[in-house]
Amino acid sequence: MSDKKGMIKDASILLLITVVAGLILGFVYQITKEPIAAAEEKAAKAAYQEVFPDAAGFSDKLELAVPEGDSTWEQNYAGVDLDNALMATDAEGGCLGYVLTMTSHEGYGGDITFTMGIQNDGTLNGISLLSISETAGLGMKAGTVLVPQFAGKQVSQFTYTKTGSTMDSQIDAISGATITTNAVTTAVNAGLYIFETQLGGDR
């Protein structure tokens, strides 16, 4: 009988601990969710400006989505999501181009998310990494090795090479991090495809 009472007492204590811990976590979440959201929004706005420095402002989110039933998308970009799309505007509200936020689910260490700015004529201003969790010393070099190579290029898609790029459409792969290189390049190409098929531009 005493063993049964002891088990009930232990279970009650565990239940109380669980409830208190849940209440504390909920309280902490309520306190921190707004600062976290504000910090994420600030980082995103900085990334928009980085990939479209000439923009005076950015529109509200455009109602775009990855193409459903599009064989080109399904064959080439199934591992990529379009998270956000904005219009980059001048001081008068005219359209200068677009900023897309893309996520690749094919990184070596997990998802890779970045923004990319595309002018109306299809010129890629560049990309800005928002989150990446690749291998230190290899895939984490994406910011210094890959990102600069996309800036100022006007091509319909990119390929990567391990032997040295010889044209604008080629990107030098990160040594020892082909998976990361492929993930980023494919996601950039997905963004360019969305631009060409859903946003048009001046081409």
Side-chain angles (χ1 to χ4, degrees):
M1 192 72 168
S2 59
D3 288 345
K4 186 175 180 179
K5 288 183 178 178
M7 290 175 63
I8 293 173
K9 181 180 179 182
D10 290 344
S12 299
I13 292 172
L14 286 173
L15 177 61
L16 179 61
I17 291 171
T18 302
V19 170
V20 171
L23 290 173
I24 291 172
L25 287 173
F27 179 70
V28 170
Y29 171 73
Q30 290 298 323
I31 291 176
T32 59
K33 70 175 183 177
E34 288 189 10
I36 290 173
E40 290 176 346
E41 183 179 357
K42 183 178 180 180
K45 287 182 177 179
Y48 301 156
Q49 203 68 58
E50 182 178 344
V51 298
F52 229 116
D54 292 337
F58 301 94
S59 72
D60 293 334
K61 183 176 181 179
L62 302 175
E63 295 301 322
L64 298 181
V66 297
E68 292 186 8
D70 184 319
S71 59
T72 299
W73 183 274
E74 292 175 354
Q75 290 172 15
N76 298 291
Y77 311 123
V80 180
D81 283 338
L82 169 66
D83 299 328
N84 197 11
L86 306 172
M87 181 188 298
T89 59
D90 59 22
E92 286 73 43
C95 179
L96 297 175
Y98 301 90
V99 173
L100 307 180
T101 302
M102 312 297 297
T103 293
S104 171
H105 301 296
E106 299 181 341
Y108 185 82
D111 291 351
I112 301 172
T113 300
F114 61 85
T115 58
M116 55 191 293
I118 311 172
Q119 297 178 33
N120 284 329
D121 66 357
T123 300
L124 178 61
N125 289 336
I127 71 172
S128 177
L129 294 175
L130 289 175
S131 65
I132 183 170
S133 301
E134 301 298 88
T135 306
L138 295 173
M140 289 301 287
K141 291 182 178 179
T144 55
V145 176
L146 291 183
V147 169
Q149 298 186 68
F150 291 104
K153 305 289 181 66
Q154 187 182 24
V155 300
S156 59
Q157 68 173 13
F158 292 91
T159 58
Y160 62 88
T161 176
K162 299 178 182 179
T163 58
S165 61
T166 58
M167 57 186 74
D168 280 353
S169 61
Q170 289 184 326
I171 298 298
D172 289 324
I174 303 172
S175 179
T178 303
I179 293 176
T180 304
T181 302
N182 181 68
V184 173
T185 303
T186 299
V188 170
N189 287 340
L192 292 174
Y193 184 76
I194 286 173
F195 169 78
E196 296 216 359
T197 58
Q198 299 190 47
L199 296 170
D202 295 335
R203 290 209 219 187

